[in-house]
Amino acid sequence: MTVDKSGQRIRRMFGAIAPKYDRMNHLLSFNVDRYWRRRTVRAVQPDGTAPILDVCTGTGDLALAFWRYTRGACPVFGTDFCPEMLAIGRAKGRRLRAEDCVEFIEADAQQLPFEANMFQVVSVAFGLRNVADTDQGLAEMTRVCRPGGRVAVLEFSMPRRQPMKMLYGFYFRHILPRLGQWLAANEHSAYDYLPASVSQFPEGEALVQRMQQAGLHDVRYDPLAFGIATLYVGIKPS
Ligand SMILES: C[S@@+](CC[C@H](N)C(=O)[O-])C[C@H]1O[C@@H](n2cnc3c(N)ncnc32)[C@H](O)[C@@H]1O
């Protein structure tokens, strides 16, 4: 069965779970998601020389991780098409006194409101899988990245080695959706959508190829936590 990724459905689904999104994320990933975002930032090593963009930023954790790493030396933009998620990101930015450096903007990842070649790093964490047209999302990220800059994709994947493959597969398909629905009841079956969308999304070499087709080179990937997530980084040719 094909997963429905129409913009309206995805926006409504994240709008409904936005108030509980952060808590659920940390709980269902046993807090490892925080480490994955820090790892993403370290992998691309931004400096203070040009702005950074995090698309599908949701509640802004990766954008704020970039801000922490660069100590506010360059502007960081977080974009998302779900206003409820962005509102939480903005509130976090204010709490951290990061609002002068981190700006949250409502925008579709398939049509970014930025000129070409602007950002030293363009990232997406657990977002590309939700974008209706993966290739268009990657093309836009590449377009706005400056030559020599890095495009990073952090996404869920499925472990390939036993016994993790079997254990995690069972947790992900059978326990997580029930736990998610129980703790963050919503009429959009958001936590059924999660395993379904992950199973249909390209991973490993398949995603590397899609990133190369978008114009990136030297694309590398690193499975994290036994392959529960994978970090991909590509470079835009100079
Ligand atoms: C699973 S959340 C990830 C949020 C955040 N990046 C994180 O690491 O927690 C996916 C986000 O992608 C956003 N999203 C999905 N499709 C989008 C699109 N086409 N344009 C902009 N945002 C999109 C959703 O609104 C949601 O906030």
Side-chain angles (χ1 to χ4, degrees):
M1 197 179 64
T2 315
V3 181
D4 175 8
K5 293 188 187 177
S6 64
Q8 200 183 38
R9 191 234 163 165
I10 299 291
R11 202 182 295 118
R12 279 202 192 137
M13 184 177 75
F14 282 103
I17 62 170
K20 291 179 179 165
Y21 178 82
D22 281 344
R23 208 173 337 132
M24 293 298 292
N25 239 1
H26 305 325
L27 194 76
L28 295 176
S29 75
F30 308 107
N31 245 343
V32 189
D33 62 306
R34 294 178 200 267
Y35 162 74
W36 288 336
R37 290 192 192 84
R38 285 201 299 271
R39 174 87 183 254
T40 304
V41 173
R42 283 203 306 271
V44 292
Q45 299 197 339
D47 53 32
T49 60
I52 297 168
L53 172 65
D54 180 43
V55 308
C56 300
T57 194
T59 58
D61 279 354
L62 184 53
L64 291 165
F66 278 120
W67 167 76
R68 261 185 220 103
Y69 184 89
T70 54
R71 296 168 192 260
C74 59
V76 178
F77 293 88
T79 59
D80 198 288
F81 69 5
C82 176
E84 292 89 342
M85 295 286 272
L86 287 173
I88 293 169
R90 285 192 193 105
K92 279 196 277 193
R94 280 194 296 275
R95 263 200 314 276
L96 292 166
R97 299 184 194 286
E99 72 264 46
D100 288 345
C101 298
V102 184
E103 189 177 345
F104 291 104
I105 297 172
E106 195 174 325
D108 191 318
Q110 298 162 109
Q111 204 177 0
L112 292 169
F114 301 106
E115 284 173 18
N117 307 325
M118 267 187 71
F119 299 97
Q120 58 168 315
V121 170
V122 184
S123 64
V124 61
F126 311 113
L128 188 60
R129 168 178 45 89
N130 305 294
V131 174
D133 185 339
T134 308
D135 294 322
Q136 177 61 21
L138 283 171
E140 273 295 86
M141 291 176 74
T142 307
R143 178 182 71 78
V144 299
C145 184
R146 76 178 181 189
R150 279 133 296 162
V151 170
V153 179
L154 175 62
E155 193 48 87
F156 286 116
S157 46
M158 295 307 285
R160 293 191 178 175
R161 295 210 179 142
Q162 300 291 11
M164 200 58 186
K165 183 175 172 182
M166 190 185 70
L167 292 173
Y168 184 72
F170 185 77
Y171 166 75
F172 200 58
R173 285 191 198 96
H174 301 289
I175 300 187
L176 184 140
R178 288 186 176 86
L179 208 57
Q181 188 60 25
W182 180 52
L183 295 170
N186 66 92
E187 53 191 43
H188 302 272
S189 306
Y191 293 91
D192 280 323
Y193 166 84
L194 177 57
S197 60
V198 171
S199 68
Q200 291 187 12
F201 192 70
E203 61 176 71
E205 286 302 329
L207 191 59
V208 168
Q209 269 187 23
R210 306 282 279 267
M211 291 175 74
Q212 286 168 338
Q213 280 161 20
L216 297 166
H217 73 175
D218 275 351
V219 184
R220 284 153 206 234
Y221 68 100
D222 232 341
L224 308 176
F226 305 102
I228 289 172
T230 302
L231 173 61
Y232 306 79
V233 180
I235 298 176
K236 178 164 170 176
S238 297

